[in-house]
Amino acid sequence: MRTRSVVTTESDSRTALTRVLVVDDLEGNRQLIRRLLPASEFFVDATGDPEEALAIAVSAPPDVILMDIRMPQRNGFDLCRQLKGSETTRLIPIILVTANRQSQDRLRAIEAGADEFIAKPLNPVELRARLRALSRVKRYTDELDNAEQVIVSLALTIEARDEYTDGHCQRLARYATAMGEALHMSDAELRALQRGGYLHDVGKIAIPDAILTKPGPLTPSEMEVMKSHPVVGERLCGQLRTLAAVRPIVRHHHERRDGSGYPDGLGGDEIPLLAEIIGLVDVFDALTSARPYRAALSLEATAQALREEVARGWRRREFVELLLDLAYRSGWCSGADATIADTT
Ligand SMILES: [Fe+2]
């Protein structure tokens, strides 16, 4: 059922073309759209099978998806909703095509997350103009995504400077999103927790190795340098709009509920909720991981240490108990030898 347009250019040159995935059960419609989109500007992939469209969107993401609403196996609204609900395909712009201009269809298209809605008969000039506009949006978001990837790579590079923090970012992202899911947080909040897990310590790029990897307690002046990392990190993320929800996490993940944390000494509910979660799982992972000066703590010893922090007024009791419950049930404990209860 799937057919590709005949493109005689080399695959490398396709990167300059706008890649369009056409999803329509009628071969005649697919051919018509191909005729409307010149091969000099568009690379058209076409399928009549909604399941295949999903597979293509993941394996070879197009710049824009042009999708018919009425299809026998599955309607376009459902398919659009699924693509927009998936982390890997949600940024691909989607145009829904319908046989009429009924406002009910328009409303359903918006609810399904479609970026545009056009009615048949297709106006070739309008179709090409909309595809161009949406592909520009897609390339812009791709660039932002790439910029974010650079910052994530930077964060992982910082992690690699210290052999004792290997895998720390991945674990934090996993623990924090599990807590967010248990707290029924929104998809946007879960994404922020995931990114926050990776980026919370990105400001450590400014901390010299002699301090960052020092095998033992820091002096007061070294501690002051170390405490600058949330502010530096926030500044690094500051230029990217896609990281707006992550900035408060980066800045405030070392605050404590009694106001004794840093950099701003926020107390209680002044601390952004997502930063509080990342701050908690950060401490949990530090306790359950080996350090140059001590072995990893057991879950029991970790639970005791975190409950002491609750008693001191540093942490929210419900969050600590939720985290411990998840940790016991999921077997979270990174340390290879998690038996020695040594908090020094
Ligand atoms: Fe930190």
Side-chain angles (χ1 to χ4, degrees), residues 168 200-201 204 226 229-230 250 253-254 262 282:
H168 175 67
H200 67 291
D201 273 347
K204 284 187 177 171
M226 186 64 119
H229 78 270
V250 175
H253 69 279
H254 284 290
Y262 63 92
D282 191 19

Side-chain angles (χ1 to χ4, degrees), residues 2-197:
R2 181 183 174 194
T3 52
R4 284 173 186 268
S5 62
V6 178
V7 176
T8 53
T9 50
E10 292 298 317
S11 61
D12 281 353
S13 66
R14 285 178 191 164
T15 55
L17 302 177
T18 295
R19 290 165 300 133
V20 182
L21 172 60
V22 177
V23 190
D24 193 311
D25 59 302
L26 298 176
E27 172 63 24
N29 287 346
R30 299 198 294 271
Q31 285 179 0
L32 170 69
I33 291 169
R34 265 191 231 106
R35 280 199 299 276
L36 297 179
L37 302 178
S40 58
E41 185 180 352
F42 297 94
F43 172 72
V44 179
D45 206 352
T47 177
D49 178 355
E51 296 309 316
E52 190 178 32
L54 284 172
I56 297 168
V58 171
S59 61
D63 294 315
V64 187
I65 297 175
L66 188 63
M67 189 191 301
D68 194 31
I69 286 174
R70 315 266 174 240
M71 291 185 286
Q73 302 107 313
R74 196 166 173 200
N75 75 51
F77 298 118
D78 279 352
L79 192 55
C80 178
R81 200 171 290 114
Q82 184 170 352
L83 285 160
K84 290 295 184 181
S86 160
E87 190 62 35
T88 47
T89 54
R90 70 187 172 86
L91 293 178
I92 303 173
I94 297 176
I95 301 177
L96 287 177
V97 184
T98 185
N100 58 53
R101 294 175 185 273
Q102 285 174 8
S103 61
Q104 199 183 1
D105 274 355
R106 195 172 287 266
L107 200 62
R108 287 185 71 192
I110 293 166
E111 283 170 354
D115 298 83
E116 290 273 3
F117 175 95
I118 55 177
K120 293 175 190 170
L122 296 173
N123 175 323
V125 175
E126 182 192 6
L127 176 65
R128 288 193 286 265
R130 292 199 180 192
L131 287 172
R132 281 180 201 122
L134 283 178
S135 77
R136 274 198 300 274
V137 172
K138 171 68 165 40
R139 282 174 189 181
Y140 177 63
T141 53
D142 282 351
E143 280 171 22
L144 283 178
D145 222 32
N146 289 341
E148 189 179 325
Q149 280 306 314
V150 169
I151 294 190
V152 169
S153 302
L154 188 64
L156 292 174
T157 306
I158 295 158
E159 181 183 279
R161 284 164 72 195
D162 183 354
E163 61 175 308
Y164 285 95
T165 58
D166 187 34
H168 175 67
C169 290
Q170 286 94 333
R171 288 194 298 275
L172 251 61
R174 180 155 52 97
Y175 299 162
T177 48
M179 280 191 72
E181 281 166 6
L183 292 164
H184 306 292
M185 288 185 159
S186 67
D187 287 348
E189 288 170 316
L190 294 177
R191 267 200 302 280
L193 285 173
Q194 169 84 14
R195 289 168 170 164

Side-chain angles (χ1 to χ4, degrees), residues 166-292:
D166 187 34
H168 175 67
C169 290
Q170 286 94 333
R171 288 194 298 275
L172 251 61
R174 180 155 52 97
Y175 299 162
T177 48
M179 280 191 72
E181 281 166 6
L183 292 164
H184 306 292
M185 288 185 159
S186 67
D187 287 348
E189 288 170 316
L190 294 177
R191 267 200 302 280
L193 285 173
Q194 169 84 14
R195 289 168 170 164
Y198 282 93
L199 296 175
H200 67 291
D201 273 347
V202 70
K204 284 187 177 171
I205 190 77
I207 310 297
D209 272 346
I211 296 177
L212 190 67
T213 60
K214 183 177 175 181
L218 300 179
T219 65
S221 62
E222 288 169 341
M223 187 56 86
E224 283 312 304
V225 175
M226 186 64 119
K227 281 183 173 179
S228 68
H229 78 270
V231 177
V232 173
E234 187 202 24
R235 215 179 297 139
L236 268 173
C237 298
Q239 301 306 313
L240 287 176
R241 260 190 302 170
T242 51
L243 294 180
V246 184
R247 275 203 303 272
I249 295 176
V250 175
R251 183 171 183 105
H252 297 298
H253 69 279
H254 284 290
E255 306 283 2
R256 293 171 178 159
R257 291 186 68 79
D258 67 349
S260 66
Y262 63 92
D264 297 313
L266 300 184
D269 294 343
E270 289 176 335
I271 304 170
L273 206 60
L274 302 183
E276 203 177 335
I277 290 174
I278 290 289
L280 172 60
V281 296
D282 191 19
V283 171
F284 172 87
D285 190 62
L287 293 170
T288 54
S289 301
R291 286 288 181 271

